């Protein structure tokens, strides 16, 4: 059933300061409206609970991609199309670009934002695993100031997060990529396009000789939150890549993720596919080191 539009209010602040003042004066009353691609679905189905929104689409402070020697910083309103068109993101963060290219169709990619994807907090969202594997940090801003939090600590439970009622997500910061790092991203859905993930996996690794120096593993759709698999990473870090390590990591992953049965897939399928993707990633590292004697970043 569609919502009754006059029940809703949408205001348009002229600046970030104005938006933050609104949040501060009446916390829990006002909610940001970014691209609206998640919110409009709820509105159309009559499930949009909060009634008061402020449109952040035109806030220049939440736009742009800035480069420094150490980081790439994206405004929370960066769209999927902007991600895919950015040369440095394409070169250094290919998994984020792949995730953006596999999110919805072109209309969604033109309008949907990374900030909206993060705060909507769906465990099945596609950019969070890439952002987790790239060790993203989030800038959260209120009238009281700014704070940075590591993204892997942000989601605290199903649709729960470390975001206060007076805060906006303003920026997403990624450490600049080491060219020797390997990247591996797979979204598994019912179709190649326009499908919600059954499992989504993003991983990065740096290899020295035949040892894993650094590794980050992140999954979507296998837990109540987009999940960085820190325990499985611990089993892998500093170890020689061989079959027994791959078996050990696969067993640890089974303990660390908690997939469920739902309309899109089954617990068992999600577990098997997650393990298969992890094994494929580790095998690809092993093959690279065996073939060249040294790792080649992708
Ligand atoms: C047809 C269709 C296909 C889709 N396909 C995919 C897909 O393949 N993969 C995928 O991951 N998602 C998909 N989505 C979901 C959606 O497009 C994304 O989650 C998108 O990134 C949401 O961004 P938005 O700017 O539109 O968010 P909005 O709808 O504007 O907001 C979403 C939530 O985030 C909050 N919010 C937004 N920005 C901020 C901010 N800066 N600070 C604090 N809170 C904020 C809002 O208050 C709201 O609660 C799809 C949606 C549709 C309709």
């Amino acid at each position: 059933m569609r919502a009754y539009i006059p029940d809703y209010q949408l205001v348009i602040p002229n600046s970030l300061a104005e938006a933050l003042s609104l949040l501060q004066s009446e916390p829990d009353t006002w909610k940001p409206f970014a691209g609206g691609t998640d919110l409009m679905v709820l509105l159309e189905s009559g499930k949009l609970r909060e009634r008061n929104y402020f449109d952040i689409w035109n806030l220049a402070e939440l736009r742009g991609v800035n480069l420094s020697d150490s980081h790439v910083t994206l405004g929370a309103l960066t769209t999927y199309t902007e991600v895919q068109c950015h040369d440095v993101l394409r070169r250094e963060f290919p998994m984020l670009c792949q995730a953006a290219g596999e999110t919805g169709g072109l209309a969604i990619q033109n309008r949907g934002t990374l900030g909206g994807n993060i705060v909507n907090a769906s465990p099945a969202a596609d950019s969070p695993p890439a952002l987790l594997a790239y060790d993203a940090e989030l800038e959260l801003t209120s009238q009281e100031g700014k704070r940075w939090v590591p993204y892997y600590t942000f989601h605290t439970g199903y649709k729960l997060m470390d975001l206060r009622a007076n805060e906006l997500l303003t920026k997403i910061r990624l450490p600049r990529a080491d060219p020797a790092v390997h990247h591996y991203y797979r979204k598994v859905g019912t179709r190649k396009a326009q499908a919600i993930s059954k499992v989504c996996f993003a991983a990065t690794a740096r290899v020295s000789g035949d040892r894993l120096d650094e590794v980050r593993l992140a999954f979507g759709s296998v837990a109540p939150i987009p999940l960085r698999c820190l325990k499985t990473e611990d089993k892998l870090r500093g170890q020689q890549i061989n079959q027994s390590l791959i078996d050990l990591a696969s067993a640890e992953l089974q303990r660390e993720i908690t997939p469920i049965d739902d309309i899109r897939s089954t617990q068992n399928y999600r577990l098997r596919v997650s393990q298969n993707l992890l094994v494929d990633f580790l095998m690809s590292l092993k093959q690279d080191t065996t073939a060249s004697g040294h790792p080649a970043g992708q």
Side-chain angles (χ1 to χ4, degrees):
M1 196 178 72
R2 293 187 72 177
Y4 181 59
I5 299 294
D7 283 344
Y8 292 86
Q9 189 179 183
L10 181 70
V11 300
I12 308 180
N14 289 311
S15 64
L16 177 59
E18 217 177 281
L20 295 176
S21 153
L22 200 62
L23 277 181
Q24 187 78 28
S25 59
E26 294 177 273
D28 285 326
T29 303
W30 293 94
K31 295 282 170 199
F33 194 104
T37 60
D38 281 312
L39 289 174
M40 288 302 289
V41 173
L42 294 174
L43 180 80
E44 283 295 305
S45 56
K47 293 182 186 148
L48 192 54
R49 200 169 41 89
E50 291 91 359
R51 297 297 163 105
N52 299 307
Y53 290 86
F54 57 98
D55 184 347
I56 58 174
W57 186 255
N58 291 319
L59 298 184
E61 298 93 331
L62 273 61
R63 292 215 165 269
V65 178
N66 289 302
L67 309 176
S68 71
D69 288 346
S70 57
H71 289 90
V72 174
T73 305
L74 302 104
L77 288 174
T78 305
T79 65
Y80 298 110
T81 300
E82 285 165 347
V83 167
Q84 293 171 80
C85 291
H86 198 281
D87 284 346
V88 172
L89 294 178
R90 278 215 300 269
R91 203 164 50 243
E92 295 187 26
F93 303 99
M95 301 193 298
L96 188 60
C97 296
Q98 190 179 340
E102 293 179 14
T103 295
L106 290 182
I108 295 294
Q109 292 173 17
N110 285 338
R111 188 77 194 174
T113 65
L114 288 182
N117 205 215
I118 291 169
V119 178
N120 187 55
S122 163
D126 293 315
S127 70
L131 293 170
L132 288 167
Y134 286 136
D135 210 15
E137 296 167 291
L138 306 180
E139 183 194 65
L140 308 172
T141 306
S142 72
Q143 268 197 335
E144 289 153 11
K146 297 174 188 299
R147 63 188 177 109
W148 284 97
V149 298
Y151 181 39
Y152 74 88
T153 64
F154 182 69
H155 298 289
T156 54
Y158 179 69
K159 297 263 179 184
L160 297 175
M161 65 208 96
D162 179 14
L163 180 72
R164 299 173 190 148
N166 63 350
E167 284 179 329
L168 272 181
L169 168 57
T170 39
K171 290 182 182 147
I172 301 146
R173 181 165 76 182
L174 305 170
R176 301 268 324 234
D178 171 350
V181 161
H182 295 251
H183 311 247
Y184 183 105
Y185 181 88
R186 283 286 298 276
K187 168 176 174 170
V188 178
T190 304
R191 300 178 296 266
K192 283 290 249 181
Q194 299 273 26
I196 299 177
S197 294
K198 292 169 190 252
V199 174
C200 181
F201 176 52
T204 56
R206 200 154 34 84
V207 185
S208 277
D210 60 356
R211 274 175 205 281
L212 265 166
D213 259 359
E214 193 45 70
V215 60
R216 284 194 289 268
L217 310 170
F219 283 89
S221 293
V222 297
I225 60 172
L227 188 69
R228 172 111 179 252
C229 293
L230 296 166
K231 290 181 183 159
T232 309
E233 289 175 14
D234 282 346
K235 294 277 181 214
L236 290 166
R237 196 168 297 110
Q239 303 301 314
Q240 192 180 33
I241 310 167
N242 53 34
Q243 192 54 50
S244 62
L245 183 73
I246 293 174
D247 293 344
L248 184 80
S250 185
E252 186 63 36
L253 182 70
Q254 177 162 7
R255 286 189 284 273
E256 197 163 17
I257 64 176
T258 50
I260 55 166
D261 292 332
D262 66 12
I263 49 163
R264 282 192 291 281
S265 191
T266 63
Q267 178 187 32
N268 194 37
Y269 178 86
R270 287 183 160 121
L271 171 63
R272 290 293 299 276
V273 170
S274 301
Q275 288 177 308
N276 289 346
L277 293 174
L278 176 63
V279 170
D280 191 45
F281 166 59
L282 295 172
M283 290 299 288
S284 71
L285 296 176
K286 190 169 170 344
Q287 274 155 16
D288 274 0
T289 55
T290 315
S292 61
H294 59 80
Q298 187 189 326

